[in-house]
């Protein structure tokens, strides 16, 4: 993906799911509650949890997850060093395919950092 595609991707996903949210409001409310509960600060803070979520997105090859969780990490003031250390674990655990998605994360990071 090019540098700014994740901005467009996350917006497109949000837009396209609007109708689904209306038609499946109970399911989407449940998903939203699950997300809020899982990301709430506890023994791990919100930034640590978003790093974990992004790592899963990388190893599961999910471009949408990469966009949304990278954007959240920037909002949570994650540093580039913290991001890159987590990405090195992704490569360790996911090998070459994860490395390809690391490039995608770095592009998303740059795009969201500039916006």
């Amino acid at each position: 993906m090019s540098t700014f595609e994740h901005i467009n991707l996350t917006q497109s996903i949000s837009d396209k799911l609007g109708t689904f949210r209306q038609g499946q409001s109970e399911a989407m409310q449940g998903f939203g509650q699950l997300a809020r509960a899982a990301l709430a600060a506890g023994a791990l803070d919100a930034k640590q949890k978003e790093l974990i979520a992004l790592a899963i997105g990388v190893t599961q090859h999910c471009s949408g997850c990469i966009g949304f969780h990278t954007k959240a990490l920037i909002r949570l003031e994650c540093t580039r060093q913290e991001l890159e250390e987590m990405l090195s674990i992704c490569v360790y655990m996911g090998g070459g395919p994860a490395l390809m998605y690391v490039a995608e994360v770095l592009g998303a990071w740059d795009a969201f950092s500039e916006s």
Side-chain angles (χ1 to χ4, degrees):
M1 296 193 136
S2 67
T3 302
F4 291 99
E5 283 187 59
H6 281 88
I7 293 173
N8 295 332
L9 176 64
T10 55
Q11 186 59 55
S12 177
I13 289 170
S14 294
D15 292 347
K16 289 176 183 172
L17 288 179
T19 306
F20 184 74
R21 275 188 209 94
Q22 292 172 1
Q24 297 298 315
S25 62
E26 280 190 53
M28 291 306 293
Q29 287 172 8
F31 181 79
Q33 179 59 35
L34 176 60
R36 285 187 296 279
L39 293 170
L44 299 175
D45 65 26
K47 181 169 58 172
Q48 291 168 320
K49 290 180 176 190
E50 285 292 349
L51 285 164
I52 293 166
L54 180 56
I56 292 168
V58 168
T59 59
Q60 293 298 306
H61 310 150
C62 179
S63 295
C65 294
I66 288 170
F68 285 108
H69 294 294
T70 299
K71 184 177 180 180
L73 284 165
I74 290 169
R75 180 180 47 78
L76 293 168
E77 300 180 359
C78 180
T79 67
R80 178 84 175 219
Q81 182 178 356
E82 290 170 324
L83 177 76
E84 289 183 3
E85 285 184 21
M86 178 276 296
L87 291 172
S88 71
I89 298 298
C90 291
V91 174
Y92 165 59
M93 297 302 292
L99 182 60
M100 300 304 107
Y101 283 86
V102 165
E104 192 172 318
V105 170
L106 296 173
W109 178 271
D110 292 342
F112 286 117
S113 293
E114 293 173 16
S115 67

